[in-house]
Amino acid sequence: MRLLIIEDSRRLRDSLTLGLRRVGYAVDAAADGEEGLWFAESNEYDVIVLDLMLPKMDGLTVLRRLRANGRDTHVLILTARDAVEDRVTGLQTGADDYLVKPFAFEELLARLQALVRRAYAAKNPVIQIGNLTLDTAQRLVQRGEEEIVLAPREYALLELLALRAGEVIARAEIEQHIYDDRAEPMSNVVDAAIYSLRRKIDAPDQPSLIRTRRGMGYSLEAPPPCDPSENS
Amino acid sequence: MRSIRKFLISRLLVALLILFSASGAALYLGARAFIVAQFDAGLEAKARSLATLVEWEGDGKIEFEFADEIMTEYSRAESPEYFQLWIGEDRVLERSRSLAGGDLPRLGGSLDAPEFVNLALPDGRSGRAAGIMAVARADEEIGEHESGEDHGQEARTSAAAPPVIYLTVAADRSPLDRAMAGLMLLFAIFGIAVPAGVALIVGAVVRRGLSPVRHVATAADAITPESISGRVETSGLPDELQPIAASLNAMLARLEIGLERERRFRRDAAHELRTPIAELRTAAEVALRSPEDAPLHQQTLETSLDIARQMERLTQALLALARAENGSAAAAKIEIDLAAEARKAWARVAAIADERHLLVTFDFAAVARILSDPDMIAAMLHILAENAAIHSPEGSEVVWRIEQSHDGLALTVSNLAPSLTAADLAYLAEPFWQKDPARTPSSHAGLGLSLLAAYAAVLNVHIEPILDNQQLIVKLSFECQSNDQQLSRS
């Protein structure tokens, strides 16, 4: 999943970017409102983490312009302002969540995960694909009872495919959601990531859960049930 | 609690009731006297007319030319009137037939001033009598006498002059009593209706007159801290309430400014305190999630130390500000070379100034000694130096100047401040105020100039920020009381 952090505190921005990338998110970061708005309008993000007191353009103005331009990306406001009127104003302006500084990083992660699920209309944090279980709250992947350890980027890819299980997702879209602006364009990072993920989640001698649709993209689907009549 | 409404109503009611009561009583008494006078006038007229019927004929003969068939009221059976005539004090000359042998009292009033009395009539009715005393009228044709005609009663007297006659006339006073009763009833009715009406009218008028006061009170009640920008509407208020409403609105404006200042302080303080804590917490939590990443841990420790130092400066500044503002900062009194201290203050920020390529000019008077607290003076000068070094545009000039005036010394620090406006000067000494609304984290929380102002207040130093052609000039004035420029505390 791809996030945008708009925060003028360099220390906080760097810590958040590092921490979220290590969890598996692709993260872009902006230091002021103008830069943040440009990022938000130029790319597709799953969630935007937005500070309110920003130089050049304050956070509420960024949010208003996003919504006015039809951008419905989920926005989590992260700010030191804790007054009720500030929360109300932020939510009424179009934010989806509001977190007051200082905050627990775990709580930020949980709120981001909730917003990501909401973006894909998934209420249940546990997704079942065949015998593969993905617990988005715990960031835990199991095949049957066996836990599968994935690298953060691999988990992010699996989560994207699982949240849109059954849908064909284009390679470019996968790249946009899984990789931030540090990724090299025209690379085969998506194919490499799919390959790596398949090796970990697919059961031996079983069809891959990840289907390749040539020229279109990839989808995650449960294998069809066994049909003995096919062998006749 | 005193009530203007109750006061007005009670006083007006009492005054109006006294007025109406006095007027009513006077009117009643006047009307009563008039009615009685009218009745008495009737009696008097009857007495006079009867008196004219008495003739003295000069030869001792007195005639009373009364005819019952003409004055039938004295002989009728229904509600008759009565008269009795005396010659002298003892001799009854004539009685009306209605008296039937009874007597009326002989009264002593004169022809011009009859005597009136209330009495019981012979038939038991309440009556009123008028009595006159007069001299019998002399017959102009003395000696002439018409015979054969009944001219009333005749009598003889030995008097050589017309005798004195007494005449009492009495009549039923029930018409008078009825008139009096009607008058009393009328006044009784008015006596109840008028006060009641007055009470209602006074109450309504006072309530109506005081309704603008209630309106102002209601409007003021509606203004809360959340709606402090509201004001009391002055248009349509009576002239007497206009100044009150204007004063109320002026007070609300001052309150609004104060509340807004408080809100700004809370908001800015929250930001300055919360942001470094958030930075510290997030850095630590992210580092703890990667226990094997030694370089990250090292970086996090360094970041933590920076933040701790920043918080330490902030805490010290806040404590110093609190001590200075609540008067607990004790000021020493030691001789200080102001010029030397200013140079020291600039030296402490020289690294910043050099990095930003700032030019500095010192324009100091030859003698610049003051008696004051060295620590606070040093802190004040450091704040001025740091402020100028950080906020001046790169490559610009900072000028320090000490001048002597007729009442002391003035130290000014001036630097270019293109982003400041005249309106900003009012906020410079506000704790945590920063020109940058984003409050992008830095090592400076915006407490410097507020601390400068607090120290100045403790040391009795006048501080004045001036904006002149994009130059910010902060002027510290030290009042001196002696010719050798020694500062003494007031």
Side-chain angles (χ1 to χ4, degrees), chain B residues 95 145 183 187 332 376 413:
Chain B
R95 291 185 180 83
H145 181 72
L183 183 69
F187 274 87
M376 288 192 204
V413 178

Side-chain angles (χ1 to χ4, degrees), chain A residues 164 168-175 190 216-218:
Chain A
R164 295 172 65 179
V168 177
I169 308 174
R171 186 179 284 102
E173 190 176 350
I174 292 173
E175 184 172 337
V190 174
M216 294 172 67
Y218 300 95

Side-chain angles (χ1 to χ4, degrees), chain B residues 330-389:
Chain B
K333 197 171 165 185
I334 296 172
E335 184 173 317
I336 299 169
D337 183 338
L338 198 59
E341 289 301 317
R343 291 179 189 276
K344 279 186 200 173
W346 186 255
R348 288 169 63 189
V349 300
I352 303 173
D354 291 341
E355 190 180 322
R356 306 189 74 245
H357 309 291
L358 299 177
L359 300 172
V360 63
T361 301
F362 298 102
D363 179 12
F364 294 154
V367 176
R369 291 180 294 117
I370 60 171
L371 284 176
S372 191
D373 185 284
D375 292 335
M376 288 192 204
I377 290 292
M380 291 170 71
L381 295 175
H382 175 70
I383 290 168
L384 288 172
E386 194 175 53
N387 210 56

Side-chain angles (χ1 to χ4, degrees), chain B residues 266-478:
Chain B
R266 280 201 310 271
R267 192 177 56 224
D268 294 342
H271 187 275
E272 291 303 319
L273 294 171
R274 287 197 162 120
T275 299
I277 294 173
E279 292 170 350
L280 189 59
R281 182 173 183 175
T282 303
E285 288 179 348
V286 168
L288 285 171
R289 292 170 69 89
S290 304
E292 73 291 347
D293 192 338
L296 176 61
H297 288 193
Q298 177 66 28
Q299 181 187 336
T300 302
L301 286 172
E302 290 169 3
T303 298
S304 301
L305 185 58
D306 285 341
I307 295 171
R309 286 178 177 146
Q310 178 186 334
M311 295 294 291
E312 182 185 1
R313 283 194 297 274
L314 177 62
T315 305
Q316 285 174 342
L318 282 172
L319 288 173
L321 186 60
R323 279 196 299 271
E325 286 183 340
N326 70 17
S328 61
K333 197 171 165 185
I334 296 172
E335 184 173 317
I336 299 169
D337 183 338
L338 198 59
E341 289 301 317
R343 291 179 189 276
K344 279 186 200 173
W346 186 255
R348 288 169 63 189
V349 300
I352 303 173
D354 291 341
E355 190 180 322
R356 306 189 74 245
H357 309 291
L358 299 177
L359 300 172
V360 63
T361 301
F362 298 102
D363 179 12
F364 294 154
V367 176
R369 291 180 294 117
I370 60 171
L371 284 176
S372 191
D373 185 284
D375 292 335
M376 288 192 204
I377 290 292
M380 291 170 71
L381 295 175
H382 175 70
I383 290 168
L384 288 172
E386 194 175 53
N387 210 56
I390 290 170
H391 296 294
S392 298
E394 286 196 10
S396 62
E397 186 182 17
V398 177
V399 178
W400 292 73
R401 183 170 286 120
I402 296 176
E403 293 172 311
Q404 292 181 2
S405 63
H406 66 281
D407 56 356
L409 293 171
L411 178 145
T412 59
V413 178
S414 58
N415 60 272
L416 202 59
S419 64
L420 276 184
T421 64
D424 293 333
L425 295 184
Y427 301 106
L428 283 184
E430 227 176 75
F432 292 117
W433 184 83
Q434 290 183 2
K435 179 67 181 177
D436 173 20
R439 308 193 65 86
T440 298
S442 68
S443 59
H444 303 90
L447 287 174
L449 291 181
S450 59
L451 193 53
L452 179 75
Y455 283 145
V458 172
L459 300 178
N460 198 30
V461 174
H462 179 67
I463 178 169
E464 181 186 4
I466 304 162
L467 195 63
D468 180 20
N469 197 25
Q470 294 192 334
Q471 284 279 335
L472 173 64
I473 304 165
V474 181
K475 180 178 179 182
L476 303 182
S477 299
F478 303 85

